[in-house]
Amino acid sequence: SWWHDAAQSKTWIFTALGGAYTAISLWALVQLIRIERRVPEYGWTIQKLFHLLNFVVNGVRAIVFYLWTRVSSLPLVVQSILVDLPGLLFFTTYTLLILFWADIYHQARSITAEHFRTVFVAINVCVYVIQLILWIVSLWIPKVAEKVLSTILFSAISLAAAIGFLLYGGRLYCMLRRFPVESKGREKKIREVGAVTGICSICFVIRSVFVAFSAISKSNSLDVTDHPILNAIYYGAVEILPSVLVLFILRKLPPKR
């Protein structure tokens, strides 16, 4: 009975989710301010963009969960935008780490990385354009069909992100292990890259599987199910916990100039 009672009382669960996202958003903002104060002359680096996007993504998620009762009364296409857009921004935020690692790896091997930046921008633009088209056509096609197409898109990009982390995180990890043992900071960087690679790869694989499952489930929802406890488990596993762990691992400020 407690399971059914929890399904009827979504407010406190969604408020708790909103609180978790708020804490992560504020953490990212504080870290961004600290980095800007430490090295203001470097402009908008990938590290600063990563923390800014974390602040935005988690802030939007928090607002949606705090105002869930109002959001659920909005038109379906607006609900889709409010739920799907933070997921797309989360994808962009964490693939910035892949871009950062690719830059380091290619520079270490004296290979230009400009083409990789172009590919990164092109992939993200294509993903947002496809999702925008789906939101537009959802005004004319059945809701179930639009959600199935959206879940296929989210599942595919999540799997692609996991492969990207394994590819470039693995390459960077192996490259660092070839450095001399006495290299300063070698062991710490190896642990950092290995931990972030493992966390993000597992996070995006879980997301891909859950979202793919939702495409064939009766609910046809990116939330996987309408039950609030399962939603809390889902968002906790694929967004909240990975964000906390990665922000903690990457908490170190850049050295002063």
Side-chain angles (χ1 to χ4, degrees):
S1 60
W2 67 269
W3 184 260
H4 295 290
D5 292 341
Q8 301 302 320
S9 57
K10 296 182 179 181
T11 303
W12 68 271
I13 296 177
F14 287 162
T15 301
L17 284 171
Y21 279 111
T22 299
I24 297 171
S25 181
L26 293 176
W27 184 0
L29 178 61
V30 170
Q31 192 70 355
L32 174 62
I33 294 171
R34 293 177 67 203
I35 295 171
E36 179 62 26
R37 293 183 63 184
R38 175 65 68 90
V39 284
E41 66 276 6
Y42 286 163
W44 281 101
T45 61
I46 291 179
Q47 187 181 25
K48 291 179 183 179
L49 284 173
F50 174 77
H51 286 91
L52 175 63
L53 286 174
N54 258 306
F55 166 69
V56 173
V57 170
N58 290 283
V60 173
R61 281 281 194 226
I63 293 171
V64 170
F65 280 117
Y66 283 140
L67 303 177
W68 185 255
T69 52
R70 296 185 180 182
V71 170
S72 59
S73 63
L74 295 173
L76 291 177
V77 65
V78 179
Q79 290 184 41
S80 295
I81 292 173
L82 292 175
V83 172
D84 297 350
L85 185 57
L88 294 177
L89 292 174
F90 185 86
F91 167 78
T92 300
T93 302
Y94 282 84
T95 51
L96 275 174
L97 291 177
I98 302 175
L99 176 63
F100 180 58
W101 287 349
D103 276 349
I104 295 174
Y105 179 79
H106 288 138
Q107 287 175 17
R109 297 177 64 86
S110 301
I111 302 173
T112 179
E114 288 301 321
H115 70 284
F116 191 84
R117 290 177 177 239
T118 303
V119 170
F120 170 82
V121 173
I123 290 174
N124 277 272
V125 169
C126 287
V127 168
Y128 284 91
V129 169
I130 293 172
Q131 184 60 68
L132 178 61
I133 293 172
L134 291 177
W135 286 331
I136 294 173
V137 300
S138 67
L139 299 173
W140 294 281
I141 65 174
K143 181 62 180 176
V144 171
E146 186 268 334
K147 293 308 294 184
V148 168
L149 294 175
S150 290
T151 52
I152 291 173
L153 174 65
F154 268 80
S155 181
I157 64 175
S158 297
L159 184 60
I163 294 172
F165 273 106
L166 289 173
L167 179 62
Y168 279 98
R171 285 181 173 182
L172 192 58
Y173 181 85
C174 293
M175 186 180 73
L176 289 170
R177 288 188 63 85
R178 290 195 295 268
F179 280 15
V181 176
E182 63 274 10
S183 297
K184 184 179 179 180
R186 171 183 178 270
E187 290 300 322
K188 185 176 181 180
K189 285 297 179 184
I190 288 176
R191 290 195 298 269
E192 180 182 296
V193 172
V196 174
T197 298
I199 291 167
C200 293
S201 299
I202 293 171
C203 155
F204 280 103
V205 167
I206 292 174
R207 192 185 195 103
S208 178
V209 172
F210 270 49
V211 172
F213 171 77
S214 71
I216 59 175
S217 69
K218 293 181 180 180
S219 62
N220 289 301
S221 168
L222 280 179
D223 295 338
V224 182
T225 177
D226 291 331
H227 200 287
I229 292 181
L230 292 180
N231 276 330
I233 295 173
Y234 170 71
Y235 284 108
V238 304
E239 289 187 359
I240 295 174
L241 182 60
S243 295
V244 170
L245 293 175
V246 171
L247 286 173
F248 177 77
I249 294 170
L250 303 180
R251 68 192 182 280
K252 184 179 178 181
L253 296 177
K256 291 183 179 180
R257 186 168 183 178

